[in-house]
Amino acid sequence: MRLAQRLLLGAALIVSVLTVVAVTLSGQRLRNQLEQLTTMQLATEARLVAQQWHPDLPADALADSAGAALGQRVTLIDSSGRVLGDSEFSGPALAALQNHNSRAEIVEARQGGQGFSRRISPSEGDEELYVAVPAGRGRIARVSIGTAQVEAIVARARRDVFVSGLIALVIALALAAVFSRQVSKPIIELRDVAAAIAAGNLARRPALSAPGEVGELAFAIRRMADQLEGRMQALETEDEFLAALVEALNEGVVAVDRQRRVIRINRSGRQLLAVQTDAPFSVDLLPRDRTLQDALAEALDGRVVDRVETQIGARTLALTARPLGVAGAGGAVLALFDLTGLRRLQTVRRDFVANVSHELKTPLTAIRGFAETLTSELAADVPHAQFAETIRANAQRMQRLIDDLLDLSRIESGGWVPTPAIVDIASATTEAVESSREEASKRGSSVHIELGRNAATLRADPMAVRQALENLVENAVRYTPSGGKITVFSRAHDHGVILGVSDTGSGIASEHLPRIFERFYRVDPARSRAAGGTGLGLAIVKHLVEAHGGTVHAESQPGRGTIVTLFFPGAS
């Protein structure tokens, strides 16, 4: 329903209701006022009749003459309640009238000097208004009038009010029609402008300039349109910039909406996934790689998928997936990074290191053997014996480095695969500690073993467990000063077993902790070389544990020592 029609109907309803209320209230109020005036008039007339009623004057004749003069019914009643005269009855009919002593107006007149009642007359058969006053010697003079006259006056008044209401309704409707047009026309224009703006026509503006709230609304819509136009232009510029930026990335970017449709994919993403279809298209057209599809499903469910690797075709890709909006309500975004070249370089590096290490192992063995021979032969020649000892010590250090490099290359290349078995943790820790206990005694530190009650065994490769623990204990002994304490411990975990080594050494600053498991990384290179470390021990530990599906973790504070824990999955 239009606004103008609603205004017209509202005006008609208001005037109609007011007319009905006015007719009802005015009729009732007029009836009450007429009854009061009529009662006062009848009382005055009754007193006049009472004054004219003398004992020597016939009552019926007085009632007839008074009734004719007043135009009302006049009744004269003696002290016993018998009707002596009535302007409406005479003769036998007068004698047949009932005794009036029980009538309400008679009783009130005898008690209070004036009586009033309204009822249907038994003799006349219509409703009448009665007023009675005392006339001396117990007599009563009563004057009455039919209520039909009063109702006729009230009906005429109601009719006049109703006619006035109809006239007011017509006038109100005419004024409302004019007013509704004036009000609805600018509102309709504002509606059309708002609809055009909502549809994307930001050039549309309201042309009217009206006073009051409508004018303020038009001004507000004009300002809103100006701001929307400016923001849309800024968003378009930013969108173009982001689109160009995403297209220029070497990483692949894939945006997926909640309906599992690819809504944006950049050039690199198309190349990495071998996709040629224009967006939008279903994710079913993406490669059927399990890792890719699982990461996308988790991101759409609101979970973040950190960097995982997968093989798609001839490419090795690192994949990251993140939800958009709350719990993935806005879809998900996938980021793809091509690791093929990096993995190829790593393979070349591992092969090179393995080959070089293997080639150096034989000559180093010979150098070490000759150095040991020279040391024993030149024992009496102290300067030359020191030179030979230096050659032997460095050859031994290089041989240890080569051994570590070969172990690391074998693990990284997949040449070594763990052979899980039930490992007795007490035996493994004892063997790991014994290899470094003598060095710890020389340095003035102590080594302790503390095994958890529910962590007596684990399922892993026995050699890998012992080698990992030996490297950790060796590191702890190397960097723990005299009087320090190294502790090898184990404890049960909900999903496996935790082995660890703690020390009271110098500790590691927080900025170095994320990198200590990298090959050749040293917190203090000069001190590490002086202590005889190769920089590969922790890297080997990490690869050994991860080969079992476990994790490594380090905690340390400068001056408070270091704790390195190894988590091996599986029941203890």
Side-chain angles (χ1 to χ4, degrees), residues 123-459:
S123 57
E124 294 292 336
D126 60 350
E127 188 178 44
E128 294 193 5
L129 187 64
Y130 298 95
V131 177
V133 298
R137 300 179 182 179
R139 298 175 300 176
I140 299 295
R142 188 186 71 180
V143 180
S144 63
I145 184 173
T147 59
Q149 299 179 18
V150 176
E151 293 298 331
I153 296 174
V154 173
R156 286 195 298 272
R158 284 181 173 176
R159 185 170 58 253
D160 293 341
V161 174
F162 183 73
V163 172
S164 301
L166 290 178
I167 296 173
L169 177 62
V170 173
I171 296 173
L173 290 177
L175 294 176
V178 176
F179 176 73
S180 63
R181 289 195 189 94
Q182 294 178 349
V183 172
S184 62
K185 184 178 179 180
I187 293 178
I188 291 173
E189 181 183 354
L190 293 178
R191 179 205 63 189
D192 295 340
V193 172
I197 293 174
N201 184 10
L202 299 180
R204 185 76 179 271
R205 298 289 187 277
L208 61 92
S209 178
E213 289 81 358
V214 176
E216 294 175 357
L217 178 60
F219 179 71
I221 291 179
R222 187 180 294 110
R223 287 190 58 192
M224 178 190 69
D226 293 339
Q227 293 179 0
L228 282 176
E229 185 176 12
R231 292 180 181 178
M232 286 300 296
Q233 291 176 353
L235 288 175
E236 290 175 358
T237 302
E238 183 178 358
D239 186 65
E240 293 175 357
F241 172 76
L242 289 177
L245 181 62
V246 170
E247 284 296 323
L249 291 175
N250 291 327
E251 293 79 10
V253 177
V254 183
V256 181
D257 64 9
R258 192 61 188 169
Q259 286 71 40
R260 296 179 59 83
R261 296 179 306 169
V262 176
I263 57 176
R264 173 169 287 185
I265 180 171
N266 66 349
R267 175 184 53 81
S268 298
R270 292 181 183 277
Q271 293 176 353
L272 296 176
L273 299 178
V275 174
Q276 302 300 329
T277 308
D278 294 333
F281 58 86
S282 173
V283 297
D284 295 333
L285 298 179
L286 295 176
R288 291 289 186 176
D289 180 73
R290 180 66 178 271
T291 303
L292 175 66
Q293 296 294 335
D294 289 347
L296 177 61
E298 290 190 25
L300 289 175
D301 288 338
R303 296 187 294 274
V304 175
V305 179
D306 288 327
R307 183 186 179 98
V308 294
E309 291 189 17
T310 185
Q311 189 78 23
I312 299 179
R315 297 180 183 273
T316 301
L317 302 179
L319 172 65
T320 301
R322 293 186 179 276
L324 297 176
V326 179
V333 63
L334 305 177
L336 306 166
F337 184 73
D338 189 4
L339 298 177
T340 306
L342 179 62
R343 292 291 178 262
R344 187 180 298 114
L345 289 175
Q346 290 176 343
T347 302
V348 171
R349 184 187 65 180
R350 285 197 302 267
D351 293 342
F352 173 77
V353 171
N355 293 333
V356 171
S357 300
H358 182 74
E359 294 297 329
L360 289 176
K361 189 170 185 180
T362 300
L364 280 175
T365 303
I367 292 172
R368 181 181 175 185
F370 287 126
E372 290 176 352
T373 302
L374 289 173
T375 302
S376 60
E377 292 292 336
L378 299 174
D381 189 353
V382 176
H384 291 86
Q386 290 178 347
F387 296 152
E389 176 61 25
T390 302
I391 294 172
R392 187 200 64 79
N394 282 278
Q396 182 180 4
R397 181 171 176 271
M398 289 184 66
Q399 191 168 13
R400 288 184 56 196
L401 176 62
I402 289 172
D403 290 340
D404 287 346
L405 281 173
L406 289 174
D407 289 342
L408 190 59
S409 297
R410 187 171 66 256
I411 296 170
E412 289 181 339
S413 64
W416 174 83
V417 178
T419 305
I422 300 301
V423 178
D424 182 69
I425 297 177
S427 176
T429 54
T430 300
E431 292 180 11
V433 167
E434 286 302 322
S435 63
S436 299
R437 193 180 293 278
E438 183 179 353
E439 181 67 21
S441 298
K442 291 180 180 180
R443 294 175 177 269
S445 57
S446 59
V447 182
H448 304 270
I449 298 176
E450 297 179 359
L451 302 182
R453 181 181 305 174
N454 298 324
T457 62
L458 61 85
R459 183 171 179 79

